[in-house]
Amino acid sequence: MSIGQTTNNRLYYGDNLDVMRKHISNDSVDLCYIDPPFNSNREYHQIYNRIGGEDRAIAQAFTDTWIWGNQANEGLEEILANEKGIFSQQTVDLIRGLLSVLSKDSLMAYLVSMTLRIAEIHRVLKPTGSFFLHCDPTASHYLKLILDSVFVAKGGTYRNEIIWAYHGPGSPGMRQFMRKHDVIFWYTKSEDWTFNRDDIRVMHSSKTKANYKKDLVGSGFVGAEHKIHELGKVPEDWWEIAIAPRGKEYMGYPTQKPRKLLERIIRACSNEGDIVLDAYCGCGTTVAVAESLRRKWIGIDITYQSISLILRRIEGEHGAEALGKISLSGIPRDVESAQALALKKDDRVRKEFEKWAVLTYSNNRAIINDKKGRDGGIDGIAYFLTGKDSNAKVVFQVKSGGVSRRDIATLNNDRQREEAALGIFITLERPTKPMIEEAAKVGVYEHTLMARTYPIIQIVTVEDIIENGERLDIPMSQEVVRKAKSAATDYQPFLFDDGTGDTDDEM
């Protein structure tokens, strides 16, 4: 079912290009904001704090590293051939010209990927729709050329280049000016667009108010003073919006953007009941803000880690009833689809089967483990309550095939090494009798708080998870505290403090 045929909010797990082409109708979206990878050639990690002040656990959220490969070749061929007439002649000529300048390198692979997706976003926007693309100076100059070739060539208009300025520590010993801004391009699909200027006005400065008052008194129009003070001004195209690094918004997610940034965009260019699309929804700030502002929304992400985080965020901010209004798509619904996920060869979704299995079985409470070398074999970690101020660890291992008794023994060894109370073995195949016997030999864990016992090693099948709805039934610790210092560079902001002490407000 396409988004044009349903009133539910929709969350898609998958490649946003495929999702938009298969599931989102022409002219159906009022506003699209995306914060895609910036071609930074970095790996980004989600950071968690563990209850009780233990060491931080870190999980890779996504990789912003591009290579020229089969996908780039296929995308380039699609653009240049333009067999379906999707691309304007300007876009085809631009990509051909960039290819001659940049050759088939990582930057060109990134630009081909973005061109395919920008063209789809243009298709799904309503004639009155707006598009905001968030980027940084790494590739903003190339992206604006692509945006012009897609939007302006088809009757759209470039509206603004918005500079989002932020504060924070710089690199010591720099031999250049510190990079402290991102770029947001705003385009509309036509000359008829939504702009709710009164919903985004900001207060005039004290100096401006004093000057207005002086001018009005001199002119005799004293009665207009109150209206000027009340209305405020429409913001300029440079925005200083900051939130605290350990503020209540913090999700521990790399490249997370502040709510006030999205609130301004969504208030300005959409109305209640409109559809807002974020095709790279990450930790879900766009969809969470859209939910708060009574917009309908569509979110897409290629990693299950993000899907899990968004579901937890929506539940935490808006209650469990909000989850009932979300249509999930792309999530394995049967053993066959789970097997298909396990067999995917796409490097972009490495270990997605393991992530889906751990997060689904743990009701999105687990931490995905992406450490290399150390902690080998552990795919996820969670914590459960053992007392008012104490907890214990449970570790997860996931296997898609070729399971045997040895896997159970290995899990138990890893559990002991990690000083975990419990070990969960999730398997796509049915366990063998020797596996079940090996698990039983380990014994049981006495949970005094619950006055019951749990097998120390538990075997769970994917069929149990999907067909029978089995979930981890141990009382978990409070939601993983999402507080940690930034792991991003100065030019790709996490969350930050402006140094004024007024960290949650606009400056």
Side-chain angles (χ1 to χ4, degrees):
M1 180 181 290
S2 70
I3 191 64
Q5 300 170 311
T6 181
T7 58
N8 279 2
N9 297 319
R10 295 188 69 83
L11 186 56
Y12 290 94
Y13 171 42
D15 187 317
N16 54 19
L17 184 62
D18 293 336
V19 169
M20 286 189 285
R21 287 178 171 176
K22 294 177 181 177
H23 299 289
I24 305 183
S25 305
N26 294 350
D27 306 326
S28 62
V29 171
D30 296 282
L31 167 65
C32 178
Y33 164 90
I34 63 171
D35 178 22
F38 289 177
N39 192 35
S40 63
N41 196 32
R42 295 186 60 228
E43 285 187 354
Y44 289 94
H45 295 81
Q46 185 171 353
I47 302 177
Y48 308 81
N49 256 10
R50 303 202 318 222
I51 304 298
E54 299 178 39
D55 295 337
R56 287 190 180 92
I58 302 178
Q60 182 176 308
F62 65 91
T63 301
D64 186 12
T65 303
W66 299 80
I67 59 171
W68 190 273
N70 291 335
Q71 287 181 333
N73 272 319
E74 291 169 3
L76 177 63
E77 183 178 343
E78 180 180 347
I79 295 169
L80 297 184
N82 200 18
E83 293 178 354
K84 297 181 180 178
I86 296 172
F87 309 99
S88 70
Q89 189 59 49
Q90 290 91 330
T91 299
V92 176
D93 291 343
L94 173 63
I95 294 300
R96 183 178 288 113
L98 288 174
L99 181 63
S100 66
V101 173
L102 301 175
S103 71
K104 294 183 176 181
D105 65 359
S106 60
L107 175 58
M108 194 66 204
Y110 173 73
L111 296 176
V112 165
S113 174
M114 291 305 302
T115 300
L116 294 170
R117 286 153 179 81
I118 291 170
E120 286 303 312
I121 288 168
H122 179 273
R123 176 187 64 79
V124 304
L125 279 177
K126 292 180 179 177
T128 54
S130 287
F131 176 42
F132 289 79
L133 189 154
H134 194 133
C135 55
D136 78 353
T138 304
S140 59
H141 44 303
Y142 294 112
L143 290 171
K144 188 174 188 305
L145 291 172
I146 293 170
L147 287 163
D148 285 342
S149 78
V150 173
F151 276 80
V152 178
K154 293 188 176 182
T157 301
Y158 158 67
R159 295 291 165 198
N160 280 113
E161 178 183 18
I162 298 162
I163 300 301
W164 174 38
Y166 48 86
H167 297 264
S171 300
M174 291 182 67
R175 299 182 64 188
Q176 64 186 57
F177 298 109
M178 288 191 292
R179 298 173 180 171
K180 292 296 174 185
H181 80 275
D182 281 1
V183 175
I184 305 174
F185 291 119
W186 175 25
Y187 282 74
T188 58
K189 196 170 180 178
S190 72
E191 292 294 334
D192 181 14
W193 73 98
T194 297
F195 187 63
N196 302 314
R197 62 176 179 265
D198 290 341
D199 291 345
I200 58 168
R201 290 183 184 273
V202 295
M203 296 300 294
H204 290 290
S205 67
S206 299
K207 181 178 179 181
T208 299
K209 288 180 181 180
N211 289 338
Y212 267 125
K213 183 175 182 179
K214 180 180 178 182
D215 293 342
L216 289 168
V217 171
S219 65
F221 292 102
V222 181
E225 177 189 346
H226 178 71
K227 181 173 285 189
I228 287 173
H229 283 214
E230 286 295 315
L231 283 178
K233 64 177 180 178
V234 175
E236 296 88 350
D237 60 1
W238 51 272
W239 302 351
E240 289 185 292
I241 299 176
I243 56 178
R246 293 175 182 264
K248 61 183 179 181
E249 293 182 32
Y250 190 58
M251 305 293 293
Y253 191 85
T255 75
Q256 181 178 343
K257 301 305 183 290
R259 290 183 68 97
K260 287 191 175 183
L261 185 72
L262 274 302
E263 285 174 357
R264 180 172 289 179
I265 290 170
I266 292 173
R267 286 184 187 275
C269 294
S270 69
N271 299 304
E272 286 192 14
D274 282 355
I275 296 175
V276 176
L277 165 66
D278 188 342
Y280 295 85
C281 58
C283 67
T285 302
T286 303
V287 301
V289 171
E291 180 81 20
S292 296
L293 296 179
R294 299 185 180 182
R295 274 64 167 172
K296 299 171 187 173
W297 53 264
I298 315 166
I300 310 171
D301 206 278
I302 199 169
T303 69
Y304 194 78
Q305 219 163 320
S306 288
I307 300 300
S308 172
L309 183 58
I310 291 165
L311 292 173
R312 291 289 300 138
R313 182 173 189 170
I314 294 295
E315 181 182 12
E317 293 183 14
H318 301 283
E321 62 275 11
L323 294 181
K325 300 176 183 177
I326 300 174
S327 295
L328 287 170
S329 184
I331 312 300
R333 302 291 187 186
D334 51 40
V335 174
E336 288 74 22
S337 57
Q339 188 173 35
L341 178 61
L343 295 176
K344 278 190 174 181
K345 302 299 183 183
D346 190 339
D347 286 341
R348 297 174 299 169
V349 292
R350 182 179 62 86
K351 294 192 70 175
E352 281 299 299
F353 170 71
E354 289 89 344
K355 294 177 182 179
W356 164 80
V358 170
L359 291 169
T360 300
Y361 183 67
S362 67
N363 282 309
N364 302 311
R365 264 67 174 181
I367 300 166
I368 297 301
N369 178 47
D370 271 327
K371 294 179 182 178
K372 297 177 180 178
R374 190 162 62 98
D375 298 339
I378 301 298
D379 294 309
I381 302 168
Y383 296 87
F384 62 95
L385 291 173
T386 57
K388 183 179 178 181
D389 299 311
S390 60
N391 61 8
K393 184 191 299 185
V394 53
V395 294
F396 299 83
Q397 286 185 354
V398 183
K399 296 289 184 180
S400 58
V403 294
S404 67
R405 184 201 60 79
R406 183 178 299 176
D407 293 309
I408 303 303
T410 299
L411 170 59
N412 193 42
N413 289 335
D414 292 338
R415 177 192 67 82
Q416 292 173 317
R417 183 196 66 217
E418 291 296 304
E419 299 181 346
L422 302 176
I424 309 293
F425 187 82
I426 302 177
T427 171
L428 187 59
E429 296 181 351
R430 289 185 178 276
T432 64
K433 184 178 179 181
M435 291 171 64
I436 296 171
E437 292 172 346
E438 183 71 24
K441 285 194 305 184
V442 181
V444 296
Y445 173 81
E446 297 281 348
H447 197 307
T448 55
L449 184 66
M450 294 295 292
R452 60 173 289 189
T453 61
Y454 294 89
I456 292 175
I457 298 295
Q458 302 172 30
I459 302 176
V460 180
T461 68
V462 168
E463 184 178 3
D464 292 331
I465 295 173
I466 294 178
E467 304 294 341
N468 303 324
E470 287 194 15
R471 297 294 183 269
L472 190 62
D473 66 346
I474 303 173
M476 307 302 289
S477 296
Q478 305 161 36
E479 182 177 2
V480 177
V481 180
R482 298 175 298 258
K483 294 179 181 178
K485 62 184 180 181
S486 169
T489 66
D490 58 332
Y491 63 86
Q492 173 64 13
F494 247 103
L495 308 172
F496 39 80
D497 188 342
D498 61 12
T500 66
D502 190 17
T503 52
D504 284 331
D505 295 329
E506 295 178 6
M507 301 166 58

